[in-house]
Amino acid sequence: MTQHPEPAAETTAADAVADAPGAPAPAQGRTGKPSMRERIIEAATELFYAQGIRAVSAEKIIAKVGITKVTFYRHFPTKDDLIVAYLERRARWERDAVAGARLAAAGDVCEVFRMVAEGIGAESCSPGFRGCPFINAAAEYADAEHPVRQVVDAHRRWFKEAIGEMLEQIGVTDVSGTADQLVMLRDGAMVGGYLGDSRTLARSLYRASRAVVAFQGGTGAE
């Protein structure tokens, strides 16, 4: 079997996103600066992630951006609209990060897993890390029919499908079940990075992922 190096200070999924094909740039106005909509989302992202979604009022965001209520509600008629935009922007970033990793790995699925694990480890070590934004949002919105939960669920379905596509490439027997296990490992890693020592998180996540894939007969995973 092909031997793959364990996570090191190399290219990560977070690095690869900058080169991902079609990676969206922040919306800009005629002056070349971020658009007002993007400025509002950026402020909301900072406040929602640091303080919790329900704890942040529209008034807090309005004050942070330095705009009027009329301007705010012109772009986001409700706070839920803004929450959805905040999560959708994060979802786009993660999709681009995975796409960039797959491109950089040139078809080596285990290398993609290494890069993603390294990216999660790096993010969990960054100042202000508060866990997975999607898990955090789901914890605050229990109603599965709420627009916020629908965005969370759609993103998690995409993530599982993306993993499933790669597992099929390496001959895993139980694609759906193995993808579920890898998603669970990712969730645990994000929580572990918030609560514990994140220095060894990437290595542990990568080793666990390889073990799961190898158990299911994935080629190149040992």
Side-chain angles (χ1 to χ4, degrees):
M1 296 293 183
T2 303
Q3 296 295 321
H4 294 275
E6 296 195 349
E10 302 173 11
T11 303
T12 69
D15 296 326
V17 69
D19 298 320
Q28 296 183 341
R30 294 180 180 178
T31 63
K33 297 179 180 180
S35 67
M36 180 56 68
R37 175 183 172 83
E38 193 68 16
R39 286 176 57 198
I40 295 171
I41 296 174
E42 185 65 34
T45 296
E46 182 179 337
L47 293 173
F48 286 159
Y49 191 65
Q51 301 178 20
I53 295 173
R54 291 191 182 277
V56 175
S57 64
E59 286 72 20
K60 280 187 179 181
I61 298 168
I62 289 168
K64 185 171 182 62
V65 182
I67 56 176
T68 65
K69 289 184 178 180
V70 172
T71 299
F72 176 89
Y73 287 111
R74 183 185 303 129
H75 291 280
F76 298 100
T78 70
K79 181 183 171 183
D80 284 350
D81 293 327
L82 178 55
I83 300 167
V84 167
Y86 149 66
L87 291 172
E88 286 180 340
R89 189 175 80 155
R90 171 69 188 202
R92 286 194 300 273
W93 183 89
E94 292 195 11
R95 290 196 298 268
D96 290 336
V98 172
R102 295 179 74 171
L103 182 64
D108 186 338
V109 171
C110 288
E111 177 65 5
V112 176
F113 289 163
R114 183 199 68 77
M115 293 166 68
V116 171
E118 185 72 15
I120 292 173
E123 183 178 11
S124 68
C125 291
S126 63
F129 179 71
R130 295 291 183 272
C132 172
F134 297 98
I135 294 175
N136 294 347
E140 293 197 59
Y141 290 84
D143 182 3
E145 301 302 317
H146 193 281
V148 171
R149 282 296 300 271
Q150 290 179 0
V151 173
V152 172
D153 293 344
H155 179 65
R156 290 177 67 80
R157 283 195 302 273
W158 163 81
F159 187 55
K160 179 182 174 180
E161 289 169 2
I163 291 174
E165 290 174 3
M166 290 185 280
L167 293 176
E168 287 180 348
Q169 293 175 24
I170 57 175
V172 166
T173 53
D174 180 5
V175 169
S176 180
T178 305
D180 282 335
Q181 293 174 50
L182 294 179
V183 170
M184 184 171 61
L185 284 174
R186 178 265 182 196
D187 292 346
M190 295 294 280
V191 174
Y194 178 37
L195 297 176
D197 179 8
S198 58
R199 290 175 297 179
T200 60
L201 183 145
R203 186 183 302 275
S204 297
L205 175 59
Y206 182 57
R207 284 176 171 174
S209 299
R210 285 174 59 187
V212 168
V213 173
F215 182 78
Q216 294 293 341
T219 58
E222 295 180 1

